[in-house]
């Protein structure tokens, strides 16, 4: 495992922990898109079905279990335990506009036309756009809490680091996965505007606000 993949995984894990701690400590899920979290739960579920069929390493298995468990724990906190604080009026992105095209694309463009491979491909495509409901929610409210922006920054950093991971693997291992790379680039591009605002405002102590 190279340093880019390891730090990418740790950044991803940090984002998940930041979000869970934010919800638990504040006893509120205000400003958090439940729809994005449902999409991420779907991403991890469809991607890690190989937990039932293969074993790669203890690290790999533990990370997969943690991602799945934390994703569903987040959904539970938003829609069950702290449901009264959930802002459903602003979390109004039509997720079917993401799921249906992604489902169709994963059937048409994949590495192997088998159920597990199609679901894995579906998860890769869906992850690239799963953050859109959250970004859409921020644009509707016009601002985001600092802790929420830290969560988004860590997610974006994870994706950017994975791009470097793929470059490393191409040059040193001869590994090249066009589906994962294209999806990763799309996802990173979606974060670019947010990265700029994060660096110019949040890190300088200013409140992040986005045009509605």
């Amino acid at each position: 495992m190279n340093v880019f993949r390891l730090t990418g995984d740790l950044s991803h894990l940090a984002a998940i922990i930041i979000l869970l701690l934010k919800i638990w400590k504040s006893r509120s899920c205000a400003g958090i898109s439940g729809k994005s979290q449902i999409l991420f739960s779907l991403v991890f579920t469809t991607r890690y079905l190989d937990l039932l069929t293969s074993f790669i390493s203890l690290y790999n298995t533990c990370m997969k279990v943690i991602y799945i468990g934390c994703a569903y724990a987040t959904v539970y906190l938003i829609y069950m335990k702290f449901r009264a604080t959930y802002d459903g009026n602003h979390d109004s992105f039509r997720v079917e506009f993401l799921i249906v095209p992604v489902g169709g694309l994963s059937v048409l463009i994949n590495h192997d036309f088998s159920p597990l491979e199609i679901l894995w491909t579906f998860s890769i495509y869906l992850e690239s756009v799963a953050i859109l409901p959250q970004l859409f929610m921020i644009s509707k409210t016009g601002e985001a809490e600092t802790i929420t922006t830290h969560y988004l920054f860590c997610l974006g950093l994870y994706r950017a680091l994975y791009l470097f991971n793929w470059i490393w693997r191409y040059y040193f291992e001869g590994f090249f996965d066009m589906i994962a790379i294209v999806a990763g680039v799309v996802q990173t591009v979606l974060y670019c505007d947010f990265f700029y605002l994060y660096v110019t405002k949040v890190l300088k102590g200013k409140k992040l606000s986005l045009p509605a």
Side-chain angles (χ1 to χ4, degrees), residues 154-211:
C154 285
L155 271 187
L157 182 61
Y158 140 69
R159 259 304 122 190
L161 287 167
Y162 254 64
L163 291 180
F164 288 106
N165 163 61
W166 290 320
I167 294 173
W168 175 283
R169 294 189 66 184
Y170 175 73
Y171 279 102
F172 292 96
E173 302 175 15
F175 176 83
F176 184 79
D177 188 331
M178 180 60 74
I179 289 177
I181 291 173
V182 171
V185 170
V186 169
Q187 188 174 359
T188 305
V189 167
L190 291 178
Y191 284 97
C192 284
D193 185 52
F194 172 81
F195 279 156
Y196 172 77
L197 292 173
Y198 184 88
V199 172
T200 58
K201 291 190 176 183
V202 177
L203 293 185
K204 293 182 179 179
K206 299 178 182 179
K207 195 168 185 178
L208 176 66
S209 59
L210 298 174

Short mmCIF file of all heavy atoms in Angstrom, two decimals, residues 154-211:
data_model
loop_
_atom_site.label_atom_id
_atom_site.label_comp_id
_atom_site.label_asym_id
_atom_site.label_seq_id
_atom_site.Cartn_x
_atom_site.Cartn_y
_atom_site.Cartn_z
N CYS A 154 -12.36 17.00 4.26
CA CYS A 154 -11.71 15.70 4.41
C CYS A 154 -12.19 14.72 3.33
O CYS A 154 -11.39 13.93 2.82
CB CYS A 154 -11.98 15.12 5.80
SG CYS A 154 -11.04 15.92 7.11
N LEU A 155 -13.46 14.79 2.98
CA LEU A 155 -13.97 13.93 1.91
C LEU A 155 -13.32 14.29 0.57
O LEU A 155 -12.91 13.40 -0.19
CB LEU A 155 -15.49 14.09 1.78
CG LEU A 155 -16.39 13.19 2.61
CD1 LEU A 155 -17.85 13.40 2.22
CD2 LEU A 155 -16.03 11.72 2.45
N GLY A 156 -13.23 15.56 0.29
CA GLY A 156 -12.61 15.99 -0.96
C GLY A 156 -11.13 15.65 -0.99
O GLY A 156 -10.60 15.24 -2.03
N LEU A 157 -10.46 15.78 0.16
CA LEU A 157 -9.04 15.45 0.24
C LEU A 157 -8.82 13.96 -0.02
O LEU A 157 -7.87 13.58 -0.70
CB LEU A 157 -8.49 15.83 1.62
CG LEU A 157 -7.00 15.58 1.84
CD1 LEU A 157 -6.16 16.39 0.86
CD2 LEU A 157 -6.63 15.93 3.29
N TYR A 158 -9.71 13.15 0.53
CA TYR A 158 -9.63 11.70 0.29
C TYR A 158 -9.68 11.38 -1.20
O TYR A 158 -8.89 10.58 -1.71
CB TYR A 158 -10.78 11.02 1.05
CG TYR A 158 -11.48 9.89 0.34
CD1 TYR A 158 -10.84 8.67 0.10
CD2 TYR A 158 -12.81 10.02 -0.08
CE1 TYR A 158 -11.50 7.63 -0.55
CE2 TYR A 158 -13.47 9.00 -0.72
CZ TYR A 158 -12.81 7.80 -0.96
OH TYR A 158 -13.46 6.78 -1.60
N ARG A 159 -10.60 12.03 -1.92
CA ARG A 159 -10.71 11.77 -3.35
C ARG A 159 -9.46 12.25 -4.10
O ARG A 159 -8.96 11.57 -5.00
CB ARG A 159 -11.94 12.50 -3.90
CG ARG A 159 -13.14 11.64 -4.11
CD ARG A 159 -12.80 10.50 -5.03
NE ARG A 159 -13.07 9.23 -4.38
CZ ARG A 159 -12.70 8.06 -4.85
NH1 ARG A 159 -12.01 7.94 -5.94
NH2 ARG A 159 -12.96 6.96 -4.21
N ALA A 160 -8.97 13.44 -3.75
CA ALA A 160 -7.79 13.98 -4.41
C ALA A 160 -6.57 13.07 -4.18
O ALA A 160 -5.79 12.81 -5.11
CB ALA A 160 -7.49 15.39 -3.90
N LEU A 161 -6.42 12.57 -2.97
CA LEU A 161 -5.31 11.67 -2.66
C LEU A 161 -5.41 10.37 -3.44
O LEU A 161 -4.39 9.78 -3.83
CB LEU A 161 -5.26 11.40 -1.16
CG LEU A 161 -4.76 12.56 -0.30
CD1 LEU A 161 -5.04 12.30 1.18
CD2 LEU A 161 -3.27 12.80 -0.51
N TYR A 162 -6.64 9.92 -3.66
CA TYR A 162 -6.81 8.68 -4.42
C TYR A 162 -6.43 8.88 -5.89
O TYR A 162 -6.02 7.92 -6.55
CB TYR A 162 -8.24 8.16 -4.28
CG TYR A 162 -8.32 6.96 -3.37
CD1 TYR A 162 -8.00 7.07 -2.03
CD2 TYR A 162 -8.70 5.71 -3.86
CE1 TYR A 162 -8.05 5.97 -1.18
CE2 TYR A 162 -8.75 4.60 -3.03
CZ TYR A 162 -8.42 4.75 -1.69
OH TYR A 162 -8.46 3.64 -0.87
N LEU A 163 -6.56 10.08 -6.40
CA LEU A 163 -6.09 10.35 -7.76
C LEU A 163 -4.58 10.14 -7.84
O LEU A 163 -4.06 9.53 -8.78
CB LEU A 163 -6.45 11.77 -8.19
CG LEU A 163 -7.93 12.07 -8.42
CD1 LEU A 163 -8.11 13.53 -8.83
CD2 LEU A 163 -8.52 11.15 -9.48
N PHE A 164 -3.86 10.64 -6.83
CA PHE A 164 -2.42 10.43 -6.77
C PHE A 164 -2.09 8.94 -6.57
O PHE A 164 -1.08 8.44 -7.07
CB PHE A 164 -1.79 11.26 -5.66
CG PHE A 164 -1.76 12.73 -5.95
CD1 PHE A 164 -2.63 13.61 -5.31
CD2 PHE A 164 -0.85 13.24 -6.88
CE1 PHE A 164 -2.59 14.96 -5.59
CE2 PHE A 164 -0.81 14.60 -7.17
CZ PHE A 164 -1.69 15.46 -6.53
N ASN A 165 -2.95 8.26 -5.82
CA ASN A 165 -2.78 6.82 -5.62
C ASN A 165 -2.82 6.07 -6.95
O ASN A 165 -2.01 5.17 -7.22
CB ASN A 165 -3.87 6.29 -4.68
CG ASN A 165 -4.03 4.79 -4.73
OD1 ASN A 165 -3.11 4.03 -4.44
ND2 ASN A 165 -5.22 4.34 -5.12
N TRP A 166 -3.77 6.46 -7.81
CA TRP A 166 -3.89 5.79 -9.11
C TRP A 166 -2.70 6.11 -10.01
O TRP A 166 -2.26 5.25 -10.79
CB TRP A 166 -5.19 6.19 -9.79
CG TRP A 166 -6.38 5.62 -9.10
CD1 TRP A 166 -6.51 4.37 -8.56
CD2 TRP A 166 -7.62 6.28 -8.84
NE1 TRP A 166 -7.75 4.21 -7.98
CE2 TRP A 166 -8.46 5.37 -8.14
CE3 TRP A 166 -8.12 7.55 -9.13
CZ2 TRP A 166 -9.74 5.69 -7.75
CZ3 TRP A 166 -9.40 7.87 -8.74
CH2 TRP A 166 -10.20 6.94 -8.06
N ILE A 167 -2.19 7.34 -9.92
CA ILE A 167 -1.01 7.69 -10.69
C ILE A 167 0.19 6.85 -10.23
O ILE A 167 0.96 6.30 -11.04
CB ILE A 167 -0.69 9.20 -10.54
CG1 ILE A 167 -1.79 10.03 -11.19
CG2 ILE A 167 0.67 9.53 -11.16
CD1 ILE A 167 -1.65 11.53 -10.95
N TRP A 168 0.34 6.73 -8.91
CA TRP A 168 1.41 5.91 -8.33
C TRP A 168 1.30 4.46 -8.81
O TRP A 168 2.29 3.86 -9.24
CB TRP A 168 1.33 6.00 -6.81
CG TRP A 168 2.30 5.10 -6.09
CD1 TRP A 168 2.20 3.75 -5.90
CD2 TRP A 168 3.53 5.49 -5.47
NE1 TRP A 168 3.26 3.27 -5.20
CE2 TRP A 168 4.11 4.32 -4.92
CE3 TRP A 168 4.19 6.71 -5.32
CZ2 TRP A 168 5.32 4.34 -4.22
CZ3 TRP A 168 5.39 6.72 -4.62
CH2 TRP A 168 5.94 5.55 -4.09
N ARG A 169 0.10 3.92 -8.73
CA ARG A 169 -0.09 2.51 -9.10
C ARG A 169 0.15 2.29 -10.59
O ARG A 169 0.62 1.22 -10.99
CB ARG A 169 -1.49 2.05 -8.70
CG ARG A 169 -1.72 2.04 -7.20
CD ARG A 169 -3.03 1.36 -6.84
NE ARG A 169 -2.98 -0.07 -7.17
CZ ARG A 169 -4.02 -0.89 -7.03
NH1 ARG A 169 -5.18 -0.42 -6.59
NH2 ARG A 169 -3.91 -2.17 -7.35
N TYR A 170 -0.17 3.28 -11.39
CA TYR A 170 0.06 3.13 -12.83
C TYR A 170 1.56 3.06 -13.14
O TYR A 170 2.00 2.21 -13.93
CB TYR A 170 -0.57 4.30 -13.57
CG TYR A 170 -0.28 4.29 -15.06
CD1 TYR A 170 -0.91 3.37 -15.90
CD2 TYR A 170 0.63 5.18 -15.62
CE1 TYR A 170 -0.64 3.34 -17.26
CE2 TYR A 170 0.91 5.16 -16.98
CZ TYR A 170 0.28 4.24 -17.79
OH TYR A 170 0.56 4.21 -19.13
N TYR A 171 2.33 3.94 -12.50
CA TYR A 171 3.76 3.99 -12.80
C TYR A 171 4.57 2.88 -12.12
O TYR A 171 5.58 2.43 -12.67
CB TYR A 171 4.33 5.36 -12.39
CG TYR A 171 4.06 6.43 -13.43
CD1 TYR A 171 3.05 7.37 -13.24
CD2 TYR A 171 4.80 6.49 -14.60
CE1 TYR A 171 2.79 8.35 -14.19
CE2 TYR A 171 4.56 7.45 -15.57
CZ TYR A 171 3.55 8.38 -15.36
OH TYR A 171 3.30 9.35 -16.31
N PHE A 172 4.12 2.45 -10.93
CA PHE A 172 4.92 1.47 -10.19
C PHE A 172 4.33 0.06 -10.21
O PHE A 172 5.04 -0.90 -9.90
CB PHE A 172 5.10 1.94 -8.74
CG PHE A 172 5.95 3.16 -8.61
CD1 PHE A 172 5.37 4.41 -8.53
CD2 PHE A 172 7.33 3.07 -8.61
CE1 PHE A 172 6.15 5.55 -8.42
CE2 PHE A 172 8.12 4.21 -8.50
CZ PHE A 172 7.54 5.45 -8.42
N GLU A 173 3.04 -0.08 -10.54
CA GLU A 173 2.43 -1.40 -10.55
C GLU A 173 1.80 -1.75 -11.89
O GLU A 173 1.37 -2.89 -12.10
CB GLU A 173 1.34 -1.48 -9.46
CG GLU A 173 1.86 -1.21 -8.05
CD GLU A 173 0.73 -1.18 -7.02
OE1 GLU A 173 -0.39 -1.66 -7.34
OE2 GLU A 173 0.97 -0.69 -5.91
N GLY A 174 1.72 -0.77 -12.79
CA GLY A 174 1.09 -1.01 -14.08
C GLY A 174 -0.42 -1.15 -13.99
O GLY A 174 -1.07 -1.63 -14.92
N PHE A 175 -0.99 -0.68 -12.88
CA PHE A 175 -2.44 -0.79 -12.66
C PHE A 175 -3.14 0.43 -13.25
O PHE A 175 -2.72 1.57 -13.03
CB PHE A 175 -2.75 -0.89 -11.17
CG PHE A 175 -4.22 -0.90 -10.84
CD1 PHE A 175 -4.95 -2.07 -10.91
CD2 PHE A 175 -4.87 0.27 -10.48
CE1 PHE A 175 -6.30 -2.09 -10.62
CE2 PHE A 175 -6.23 0.27 -10.19
CZ PHE A 175 -6.95 -0.92 -10.27
N PHE A 176 -4.23 0.17 -13.97
CA PHE A 176 -4.98 1.28 -14.58
C PHE A 176 -6.46 0.89 -14.64
O PHE A 176 -6.82 -0.11 -15.27
CB PHE A 176 -4.46 1.57 -15.99
CG PHE A 176 -5.13 2.75 -16.65
CD1 PHE A 176 -4.75 4.04 -16.33
CD2 PHE A 176 -6.13 2.56 -17.59
CE1 PHE A 176 -5.36 5.14 -16.94
CE2 PHE A 176 -6.74 3.65 -18.20
CZ PHE A 176 -6.35 4.93 -17.88
N ASP A 177 -7.31 1.66 -13.98
CA ASP A 177 -8.75 1.40 -13.95
C ASP A 177 -9.48 2.66 -14.42
O ASP A 177 -9.66 3.60 -13.65
CB ASP A 177 -9.20 1.01 -12.54
CG ASP A 177 -10.66 0.54 -12.50
OD1 ASP A 177 -11.46 0.99 -13.33
OD2 ASP A 177 -10.98 -0.29 -11.63
N MET A 178 -9.87 2.70 -15.68
CA MET A 178 -10.46 3.89 -16.27
C MET A 178 -11.75 4.29 -15.56
O MET A 178 -12.00 5.49 -15.34
CB MET A 178 -10.73 3.66 -17.76
CG MET A 178 -11.35 4.86 -18.46
SD MET A 178 -10.31 6.34 -18.39
CE MET A 178 -9.05 5.88 -19.59
N ILE A 179 -12.58 3.32 -15.18
CA ILE A 179 -13.85 3.63 -14.52
C ILE A 179 -13.62 4.37 -13.22
O ILE A 179 -14.22 5.41 -12.94
CB ILE A 179 -14.67 2.34 -14.29
CG1 ILE A 179 -15.19 1.81 -15.62
CG2 ILE A 179 -15.82 2.60 -13.32
CD1 ILE A 179 -15.94 0.49 -15.50
N ALA A 180 -12.74 3.84 -12.38
CA ALA A 180 -12.46 4.46 -11.09
C ALA A 180 -11.80 5.83 -11.25
O ALA A 180 -12.12 6.77 -10.51
CB ALA A 180 -11.58 3.54 -10.25
N ILE A 181 -10.92 5.95 -12.21
CA ILE A 181 -10.21 7.21 -12.42
C ILE A 181 -11.15 8.31 -12.90
O ILE A 181 -11.15 9.42 -12.36
CB ILE A 181 -9.05 7.02 -13.40
CG1 ILE A 181 -7.95 6.15 -12.77
CG2 ILE A 181 -8.47 8.37 -13.83
CD1 ILE A 181 -6.84 5.77 -13.71
N VAL A 182 -11.97 8.01 -13.89
CA VAL A 182 -12.90 9.02 -14.42
C VAL A 182 -13.89 9.45 -13.34
O VAL A 182 -14.16 10.64 -13.15
CB VAL A 182 -13.65 8.47 -15.65
CG1 VAL A 182 -14.77 9.43 -16.06
CG2 VAL A 182 -12.69 8.27 -16.82
N ALA A 183 -14.43 8.47 -12.60
CA ALA A 183 -15.37 8.79 -11.53
C ALA A 183 -14.68 9.63 -10.45
O ALA A 183 -15.28 10.56 -9.90
CB ALA A 183 -15.94 7.50 -10.92
N GLY A 184 -13.44 9.30 -10.14
CA GLY A 184 -12.70 10.06 -9.13
C GLY A 184 -12.43 11.48 -9.57
O GLY A 184 -12.50 12.42 -8.76
N VAL A 185 -12.12 11.66 -10.83
CA VAL A 185 -11.90 13.01 -11.36
C VAL A 185 -13.19 13.83 -11.27
O VAL A 185 -13.17 15.00 -10.86
CB VAL A 185 -11.41 12.95 -12.83
CG1 VAL A 185 -11.42 14.34 -13.45
CG2 VAL A 185 -10.00 12.36 -12.88
N VAL A 186 -14.32 13.23 -11.66
CA VAL A 186 -15.62 13.92 -11.58
C VAL A 186 -15.90 14.34 -10.15
O VAL A 186 -16.31 15.48 -9.88
CB VAL A 186 -16.75 13.01 -12.10
CG1 VAL A 186 -18.12 13.62 -11.77
CG2 VAL A 186 -16.61 12.77 -13.60
N GLN A 187 -15.66 13.43 -9.22
CA GLN A 187 -15.94 13.74 -7.82
C GLN A 187 -15.04 14.85 -7.31
O GLN A 187 -15.50 15.75 -6.58
CB GLN A 187 -15.74 12.49 -6.96
CG GLN A 187 -16.19 12.66 -5.52
CD GLN A 187 -16.12 11.37 -4.74
OE1 GLN A 187 -15.75 10.32 -5.28
NE2 GLN A 187 -16.46 11.40 -3.47
N THR A 188 -13.76 14.82 -7.68
CA THR A 188 -12.83 15.85 -7.23
C THR A 188 -13.21 17.21 -7.80
O THR A 188 -13.13 18.24 -7.11
CB THR A 188 -11.39 15.49 -7.65
OG1 THR A 188 -11.06 14.19 -7.14
CG2 THR A 188 -10.41 16.51 -7.10
N VAL A 189 -13.64 17.24 -9.05
CA VAL A 189 -14.06 18.49 -9.69
C VAL A 189 -15.23 19.11 -8.94
O VAL A 189 -15.30 20.35 -8.77
CB VAL A 189 -14.43 18.25 -11.17
CG1 VAL A 189 -15.15 19.46 -11.75
CG2 VAL A 189 -13.19 17.94 -11.99
N LEU A 190 -16.15 18.29 -8.47
CA LEU A 190 -17.31 18.79 -7.73
C LEU A 190 -16.89 19.51 -6.44
O LEU A 190 -17.60 20.39 -5.96
CB LEU A 190 -18.27 17.65 -7.37
CG LEU A 190 -19.02 17.01 -8.54
CD1 LEU A 190 -19.89 15.85 -8.05
CD2 LEU A 190 -19.89 18.03 -9.25
N TYR A 191 -15.73 19.14 -5.91
CA TYR A 191 -15.26 19.75 -4.67
C TYR A 191 -14.40 20.99 -4.90
O TYR A 191 -14.08 21.71 -3.95
CB TYR A 191 -14.42 18.75 -3.87
CG TYR A 191 -15.20 17.69 -3.16
CD1 TYR A 191 -15.39 16.43 -3.72
CD2 TYR A 191 -15.76 17.93 -1.90
CE1 TYR A 191 -16.09 15.45 -3.07
CE2 TYR A 191 -16.48 16.94 -1.24
CZ TYR A 191 -16.64 15.71 -1.83
OH TYR A 191 -17.34 14.73 -1.18
N CYS A 192 -14.00 21.24 -6.13
CA CYS A 192 -13.04 22.31 -6.40
C CYS A 192 -13.49 23.67 -5.88
O CYS A 192 -12.74 24.39 -5.23
CB CYS A 192 -12.74 22.39 -7.90
SG CYS A 192 -11.66 21.07 -8.48
N ASP A 193 -14.72 24.05 -6.18
CA ASP A 193 -15.24 25.34 -5.73
C ASP A 193 -15.28 25.40 -4.21
O ASP A 193 -14.94 26.42 -3.60
CB ASP A 193 -16.63 25.59 -6.31
CG ASP A 193 -17.15 26.99 -5.96
OD1 ASP A 193 -16.41 27.96 -6.21
OD2 ASP A 193 -18.26 27.10 -5.43
N PHE A 194 -15.67 24.27 -3.60
CA PHE A 194 -15.71 24.22 -2.14
C PHE A 194 -14.31 24.36 -1.56
O PHE A 194 -14.12 25.04 -0.55
CB PHE A 194 -16.34 22.91 -1.68
CG PHE A 194 -16.25 22.69 -0.20
CD1 PHE A 194 -17.15 23.30 0.66
CD2 PHE A 194 -15.24 21.90 0.33
CE1 PHE A 194 -17.04 23.13 2.03
CE2 PHE A 194 -15.13 21.72 1.69
CZ PHE A 194 -16.04 22.33 2.54
N PHE A 195 -13.31 23.70 -2.16
CA PHE A 195 -11.93 23.81 -1.68
C PHE A 195 -11.48 25.27 -1.65
O PHE A 195 -10.84 25.71 -0.69
CB PHE A 195 -10.99 23.01 -2.59
CG PHE A 195 -10.97 21.54 -2.31
CD1 PHE A 195 -10.60 20.64 -3.30
CD2 PHE A 195 -11.31 21.05 -1.07
CE1 PHE A 195 -10.58 19.28 -3.06
CE2 PHE A 195 -11.29 19.69 -0.81
CZ PHE A 195 -10.93 18.80 -1.80
N TYR A 196 -11.79 25.99 -2.70
CA TYR A 196 -11.39 27.40 -2.78
C TYR A 196 -12.01 28.20 -1.63
O TYR A 196 -11.33 28.98 -0.96
CB TYR A 196 -11.81 27.99 -4.12
CG TYR A 196 -11.59 29.48 -4.21
CD1 TYR A 196 -10.32 30.01 -4.42
CD2 TYR A 196 -12.67 30.37 -4.06
CE1 TYR A 196 -10.11 31.37 -4.48
CE2 TYR A 196 -12.46 31.74 -4.12
CZ TYR A 196 -11.18 32.23 -4.33
OH TYR A 196 -10.99 33.60 -4.38
N LEU A 197 -13.30 28.01 -1.42
CA LEU A 197 -13.99 28.73 -0.35
C LEU A 197 -13.46 28.30 1.02
O LEU A 197 -13.33 29.13 1.93
CB LEU A 197 -15.50 28.47 -0.42
CG LEU A 197 -16.20 29.08 -1.64
CD1 LEU A 197 -17.65 28.61 -1.69
CD2 LEU A 197 -16.15 30.60 -1.58
N TYR A 198 -13.14 27.02 1.16
CA TYR A 198 -12.62 26.51 2.43
C TYR A 198 -11.30 27.19 2.79
O TYR A 198 -11.09 27.63 3.91
CB TYR A 198 -12.44 25.00 2.34
CG TYR A 198 -12.00 24.35 3.64
CD1 TYR A 198 -12.95 23.91 4.57
CD2 TYR A 198 -10.65 24.16 3.93
CE1 TYR A 198 -12.56 23.31 5.75
CE2 TYR A 198 -10.26 23.55 5.12
CZ TYR A 198 -11.22 23.13 6.02
OH TYR A 198 -10.82 22.53 7.19
N VAL A 199 -10.41 27.26 1.81
CA VAL A 199 -9.08 27.83 2.05
C VAL A 199 -9.15 29.34 2.27
O VAL A 199 -8.49 29.89 3.14
CB VAL A 199 -8.14 27.51 0.87
CG1 VAL A 199 -6.83 28.28 1.01
CG2 VAL A 199 -7.87 26.02 0.79
N THR A 200 -9.99 30.03 1.50
CA THR A 200 -10.04 31.49 1.57
C THR A 200 -10.91 32.02 2.70
O THR A 200 -10.73 33.17 3.12
CB THR A 200 -10.57 32.09 0.25
OG1 THR A 200 -11.88 31.54 -0.03
CG2 THR A 200 -9.63 31.75 -0.89
N LYS A 201 -11.82 31.19 3.21
CA LYS A 201 -12.72 31.68 4.26
C LYS A 201 -12.60 30.92 5.57
O LYS A 201 -12.27 31.47 6.61
CB LYS A 201 -14.17 31.65 3.76
CG LYS A 201 -14.46 32.66 2.66
CD LYS A 201 -15.96 32.75 2.38
CE LYS A 201 -16.25 33.85 1.36
NZ LYS A 201 -17.71 33.99 1.11
N VAL A 202 -12.87 29.62 5.53
CA VAL A 202 -12.94 28.84 6.77
C VAL A 202 -11.61 28.83 7.49
O VAL A 202 -11.55 29.01 8.71
CB VAL A 202 -13.40 27.39 6.47
CG1 VAL A 202 -13.40 26.56 7.74
CG2 VAL A 202 -14.79 27.40 5.85
N LEU A 203 -10.50 28.60 6.78
CA LEU A 203 -9.20 28.55 7.43
C LEU A 203 -8.76 29.91 7.96
O LEU A 203 -7.84 30.00 8.77
CB LEU A 203 -8.15 28.00 6.46
CG LEU A 203 -8.34 26.53 6.04
CD1 LEU A 203 -7.17 26.09 5.18
CD2 LEU A 203 -8.47 25.62 7.26
N LYS A 204 -9.44 30.96 7.53
CA LYS A 204 -9.14 32.31 8.03
C LYS A 204 -10.15 32.74 9.09
O LYS A 204 -10.19 33.91 9.47
CB LYS A 204 -9.13 33.30 6.87
CG LYS A 204 -7.99 33.06 5.88
CD LYS A 204 -8.00 34.11 4.76
CE LYS A 204 -6.85 33.87 3.80
NZ LYS A 204 -6.85 34.86 2.69
N GLY A 205 -10.97 31.78 9.52
CA GLY A 205 -11.91 32.08 10.59
C GLY A 205 -13.21 32.70 10.15
O GLY A 205 -14.02 33.13 10.98
N LYS A 206 -13.44 32.78 8.86
CA LYS A 206 -14.68 33.35 8.36
C LYS A 206 -15.74 32.26 8.17
O LYS A 206 -15.41 31.09 7.99
CB LYS A 206 -14.44 34.07 7.02
CG LYS A 206 -13.44 35.21 7.10
CD LYS A 206 -13.22 35.83 5.73
CE LYS A 206 -12.19 36.95 5.79
NZ LYS A 206 -11.94 37.55 4.46
N LYS A 207 -16.99 32.63 8.18
CA LYS A 207 -18.08 31.68 8.00
C LYS A 207 -18.28 31.41 6.52
O LYS A 207 -18.29 32.33 5.71
CB LYS A 207 -19.38 32.22 8.61
CG LYS A 207 -20.44 31.14 8.79
CD LYS A 207 -21.58 31.65 9.64
CE LYS A 207 -22.58 30.55 9.94
NZ LYS A 207 -23.67 31.01 10.81
N LEU A 208 -18.39 30.12 6.19
CA LEU A 208 -18.59 29.75 4.79
C LEU A 208 -20.01 30.05 4.38
O LEU A 208 -20.97 29.63 5.01
CB LEU A 208 -18.30 28.27 4.59
CG LEU A 208 -18.55 27.73 3.18
CD1 LEU A 208 -17.56 28.36 2.20
CD2 LEU A 208 -18.41 26.22 3.15
N SER A 209 -20.17 30.80 3.30
CA SER A 209 -21.50 31.07 2.76
C SER A 209 -21.44 30.88 1.26
O SER A 209 -20.47 31.24 0.61
CB SER A 209 -21.96 32.48 3.10
OG SER A 209 -21.06 33.44 2.59
N LEU A 210 -22.49 30.30 0.72
CA LEU A 210 -22.56 30.03 -0.70
C LEU A 210 -23.79 30.73 -1.28
O LEU A 210 -24.80 30.89 -0.58
CB LEU A 210 -22.67 28.53 -0.98
CG LEU A 210 -21.48 27.67 -0.51
CD1 LEU A 210 -21.80 26.21 -0.73
CD2 LEU A 210 -20.23 28.05 -1.26
N PRO A 211 -23.74 31.13 -2.53
CA PRO A 211 -24.91 31.78 -3.14
C PRO A 211 -26.06 30.80 -3.26
O PRO A 211 -25.85 29.63 -3.58
CB PRO A 211 -24.39 32.20 -4.52
CG PRO A 211 -23.25 31.29 -4.78
CD PRO A 211 -22.62 31.03 -3.46
#
